[in-house]
Amino acid sequence: MKSFNTKIIAVSNQKGGVGKTTSAINIASFLAITETPVLLIDMDPQANASSGLGIDINKNKSIYDILINNISLKKCISKTEIDFLDIVPSNSKLAGAEIELVSMFTRESVLKEAISQVLGKYKYIIIDTPPSLGLLTINVLTASNSIIIPIQCEYYALEGLSQLLNTIRLIQKNLNPDLKIEGILITMFDTRLNLSQQIVNEVKEYFDDKVYNTMINRNVKLGEAPSHGKPIILYDPSSTGSQNYMNLVSEILNQNG
């Protein structure tokens, strides 16, 4: 069986409602349709990435079992509707994991340790993080090679971002010196609004060439897809949202060629 040089990418922003989970699901799905083995890890207690891929979150072993009950990650992998895409689901029990991790030795690297069992099996591991900067997110950033930061086109888009960048610097300094910013993803872009363009200009001024050329437009279908338990490629492949994520994944693949 082919062995891969696995790349682990976190999709993270501690601000909620920025399209983080939507991006994690759809980046993973579009990578998988190129027949690239992908594992999506849902580290958010809300478990939206799991339900958004049609996983019954109460029937499957979850990331909680891996972090707290020391169950092997391999035993917690579920198949999805898409060939080449597997998932380690989450559920609401994960909300208590922050507190349970506190007393653990090497508590920041429990996830990194767990992922080491499947390195080489997948080309990409995409991790959806919770909208906070607690121990769960610290575990993700300690385990990851890089981070994609979604930023939505709204007032205060850059608010709180300095906190995330500060956390990234601390992780680089103390836990994971190799962590890099993979890219900045503009979400919820609306061509009709001047504000959207203003935000794009601000973000580009701040992050320069780290900003992806592809922007994710506001799109009704993208919002509907998770309630049907499907990524956008299965729910409405011809939608604007689907085209956007396909273009984004082309960029990601080119960067990682």
Side-chain angles (χ1 to χ4, degrees):
M1 189 177 145
K2 189 176 176 187
S3 179
F4 297 94
N5 185 9
T6 305
K7 176 137 196 198
I8 304 166
I9 304 175
V11 182
S12 189
N13 188 333
Q14 84 275 17
K15 205 170 188 295
V18 297
K20 177 181 59 62
T21 299
T22 299
S23 295
I25 289 173
N26 289 303
I27 288 168
S29 300
F30 276 99
L31 284 169
I33 61 163
T34 66
E35 299 193 354
T36 303
V38 181
L39 177 66
L40 177 63
I41 299 178
D42 188 352
M43 278 287 280
D44 188 340
Q46 294 172 43
N48 291 338
S50 306
S51 56
L53 281 171
I55 302 294
D56 184 337
I57 57 176
N58 298 312
K59 272 192 180 164
N60 293 276
K61 290 250 183 290
S62 74
I63 190 71
Y64 175 85
D65 297 301
I66 295 164
L67 298 174
I68 306 301
N69 299 333
N70 213 12
I71 289 176
S72 154
L73 184 137
K74 288 178 180 172
K75 291 184 177 163
C76 302
I77 293 172
S78 298
K79 294 270 172 222
T80 71
E81 263 188 278
I82 295 180
D83 290 340
F84 295 96
L85 177 59
D86 293 344
I87 183 170
V88 173
S90 174
N91 59 35
S92 57
K93 281 197 293 190
L94 190 59
E98 293 268 4
I99 297 157
E100 293 173 79
L101 281 167
V102 169
S103 59
M104 283 191 191
F105 185 61
T106 65
R107 59 191 181 189
E108 296 91 356
S109 49
V110 181
L111 180 65
K112 183 178 184 175
E113 197 58 43
I115 286 176
S116 65
Q117 303 163 16
V118 294
L119 290 178
K121 185 182 175 196
Y122 298 96
K123 180 86 171 83
Y124 291 96
I125 296 177
I126 307 294
I127 312 178
D128 185 30
T129 61
S132 68
L133 291 177
L135 262 177
L136 292 176
T137 298
I138 288 169
N139 260 273
V140 174
L141 297 181
T142 302
S144 299
N145 302 118
S146 64
I147 172 172
I148 290 175
I149 305 172
I151 296 177
Q152 87 286 28
C153 279
E154 288 173 7
Y155 280 118
Y156 310 124
L158 295 172
E159 195 179 74
L161 207 58
S162 58
Q163 208 183 343
L164 175 60
L165 296 173
N166 200 28
T167 302
I168 292 170
R169 277 192 288 273
L170 285 170
I171 301 272
Q172 287 166 330
K173 190 176 166 194
N174 300 303
L175 295 163
N176 182 3
D178 300 324
L179 181 66
K180 293 181 172 56
I181 292 179
E182 181 81 13
I184 308 294
L185 176 62
I186 306 271
T187 63
M188 304 179 197
F189 183 77
D190 190 333
T191 45
R192 297 164 304 178
L193 298 180
N194 287 338
L195 174 68
S196 278
Q197 199 49 59
Q198 280 170 20
I199 301 291
V200 170
N201 295 342
E202 262 181 61
V203 172
K204 285 189 171 168
E205 204 172 298
Y206 197 86
F207 288 104
D208 199 25
D209 59 351
K210 285 281 178 204
V211 184
Y212 288 114
N213 294 323
T214 304
M215 293 182 279
I216 309 302
N217 293 72
R218 279 195 180 278
N219 181 246
V220 174
K221 298 291 185 187
L222 269 181
E224 290 173 357
S227 63
H228 296 267
K230 290 184 187 299
I232 194 67
I233 181 68
L234 295 184
Y235 180 64
D236 189 346
S238 62
S239 66
T240 305
S242 188
Q243 295 300 315
N244 291 163
Y245 278 107
M246 187 163 69
N247 294 340
L248 172 66
V249 164
S250 293
E251 273 193 72
I252 293 170
L253 288 170
N254 286 337
Q255 272 181 3
N256 289 281

